[in-house]
Amino acid sequence: REREMTEREREQRERERKRRDREKKRERGDRQFDLWDSDDVPVPRKELLQKVKGVDALVCVLTEKIDAELLDAAGPNLKVLSTMSVGFDHLSLEELKKRGIRVGYTPDVLTDSVAELTVALLLTTSRRLIEATHEAKSGGWGTWRTLWLCGYELANSTVGILGLGRIGVAIAERLKPFKVKKFIYTDVAPRPELASLIDAEYVSMDELASQSDFLTVCCALTPETKDICNKDLFSKMKNTSIFINTSRGGVVDQEDLYEALSSGQIAGAGLDVTVPEPLPTSHPLFTLNNCVILPHIASASYSTRNAMSALAANNLLLGLKGQPMIKELKL
Ligand code: DGY
């Protein structure tokens, strides 16, 4: 116990020394960086709350909850937050705004990578590629059979986009050469400029559900879109439809999705995002052959992750200099 106390005291002294050091450097106008030098995130919350004390700026990724508790721990020096993500549902915008903290994020640079992965996930799900490789490897591959491992093709299909933005457009542009017959979309309001790029028709949520052969979710997670893909939506979809989500797990009611997939209400689902992440391996969705689950890798290409890092760093530095960031959220 005595040793424990001493270690704790030593840690405290070290923290205090760092704080004074930071203070001096700030007075001199120097920048000092403290890096979580590990791919293991989230940073243990207790450690994060300690480490942020007194910082002027913070770069984070989507696994870190930036809320009142963290902002209080950081204290009044914190003026700039830069998230290395296009999504910002992990940030309490209200708390940031209240404290006058500017926020940078990383849209656009990941659009190609996310669109590409979405197409890959859609084809993997609709053409049952995971089941097929499993059968080939495990001895299930018998003679050629007429209806074995049949799936659904994009040619002549209707593709629905829930939430039309840059990523939805990029997905449609990539799907078009597969001879998709029609693109439809829904959003809080028509988005004619974006829609005209892909010749997409604005429809109601119900029409989106009932007409789509492939329904891809591209909306941000907000209080309004939470659980928007639920029993009501799935029950209106065709039982030959494929549901794809590369936005945020929170937009889907996973129990309702499980029900829709296991009852044959819809044909299949491809998810790059879930609640929680990681999804426990014991989760019922993992038991379904018609559900393909990826571990949130839509933006995971070397070039995109480099571009996201550079943009996040530049946003932060510009924010610190009091200049406009390259990509800044309007709070
Ligand atoms: C984001 O940036 O929000 C993606 O989900 C991860 O790249």
Side-chain angles (χ1 to χ4, degrees), residues 62 84-87 106 110 247-248 296 299 305 308:
L62 52 88
M84 192 186 121
S85 62
V86 63
T106 61
L110 48 61
S247 73
R248 284 292 183 268
H296 204 149
S299 67
R305 288 285 164 86
M308 289 168 74

Side-chain angles (χ1 to χ4, degrees), residues 236-253:
K236 290 176 184 131
M237 287 173 70
K238 306 176 200 183
N239 53 28
T240 51
S241 291
I242 302 288
F243 175 82
I244 302 294
N245 184 14
T246 51
S247 73
R248 284 292 183 268
V251 301
V252 178
D253 182 319

Side-chain angles (χ1 to χ4, degrees), residues 85-327:
S85 62
V86 63
F88 44 84
D89 46 286
H90 55 301
L91 314 179
S92 301
L93 298 184
E94 211 177 293
E95 296 294 334
L96 287 154
K97 186 174 176 181
K98 216 159 72 186
R99 293 163 168 81
I101 298 171
R102 293 171 61 196
V103 180
Y105 70 137
T106 61
D108 298 335
V109 292
L110 48 61
T111 300
D112 287 335
S113 178
V114 173
E116 197 172 290
L117 190 281
T118 306
V119 172
L121 179 57
L122 185 150
L123 288 168
T124 301
T125 309
S126 62
R127 299 306 299 268
R128 304 172 62 182
L129 300 189
I130 305 296
E131 281 178 84
T133 55
H134 175 74
E135 292 294 317
K137 261 198 224 170
S138 64
W141 186 1
T143 52
W144 188 91
R145 277 167 279 166
T146 321
L147 290 178
W148 188 50
L149 287 173
C150 280
Y152 298 93
E153 64 187 49
L154 277 160
N156 269 317
S157 69
T158 296
V159 172
I161 301 165
L162 175 49
L164 187 66
R166 300 165 290 251
I167 293 177
V169 168
I171 293 168
E173 283 169 345
R174 281 159 180 77
L175 291 179
K176 208 175 164 66
F178 285 91
K179 299 189 177 173
V180 169
K181 187 176 69 194
K182 194 173 171 189
F183 289 104
I184 56 179
Y185 75 102
T186 200
D187 212 311
V188 279
R191 309 200 62 182
E193 267 176 40
L194 286 173
S196 68
L197 298 174
I198 51 168
D199 203 12
E201 184 189 327
Y202 183 72
V203 295
S204 67
M205 187 75 165
D206 281 1
E207 286 166 324
L208 189 85
S210 62
Q211 289 179 29
S212 297
D213 296 303
F214 298 88
L215 199 164
T216 179
V217 183
C218 299
C219 60
L221 173 61
T222 63
E224 291 73 37
T225 61
K226 186 166 167 9
D227 291 335
I228 197 172
C229 302
N230 54 26
K231 197 180 178 142
D232 188 45
L233 177 104
F234 299 131
S235 68
K236 290 176 184 131
M237 287 173 70
K238 306 176 200 183
N239 53 28
T240 51
S241 291
I242 302 288
F243 175 82
I244 302 294
N245 184 14
T246 51
S247 73
R248 284 292 183 268
V251 301
V252 178
D253 182 319
Q254 286 175 178
E255 275 182 30
D256 289 357
L257 177 63
Y258 175 82
E259 197 48 45
L261 287 167
S262 57
S263 66
Q265 174 60 54
I266 64 172
L271 312 173
D272 182 46
V273 284
T274 57
V275 176
E277 291 183 6
L279 192 65
T281 51
S282 59
H283 195 281
L285 283 172
F286 276 122
T287 64
L288 301 174
N289 279 339
N290 57 350
C291 188
V292 176
I293 300 175
L294 301 178
H296 204 149
I297 55 163
S299 67
S301 73
Y302 290 111
S303 51
T304 289
R305 288 285 164 86
N306 275 333
M308 289 168 74
S309 314
L311 180 51
N314 284 321
N315 279 341
L316 179 104
L317 293 173
L318 288 164
L320 275 173
K321 286 189 206 151
Q323 292 173 10
M325 295 180 189
I326 303 166
K327 295 289 174 186

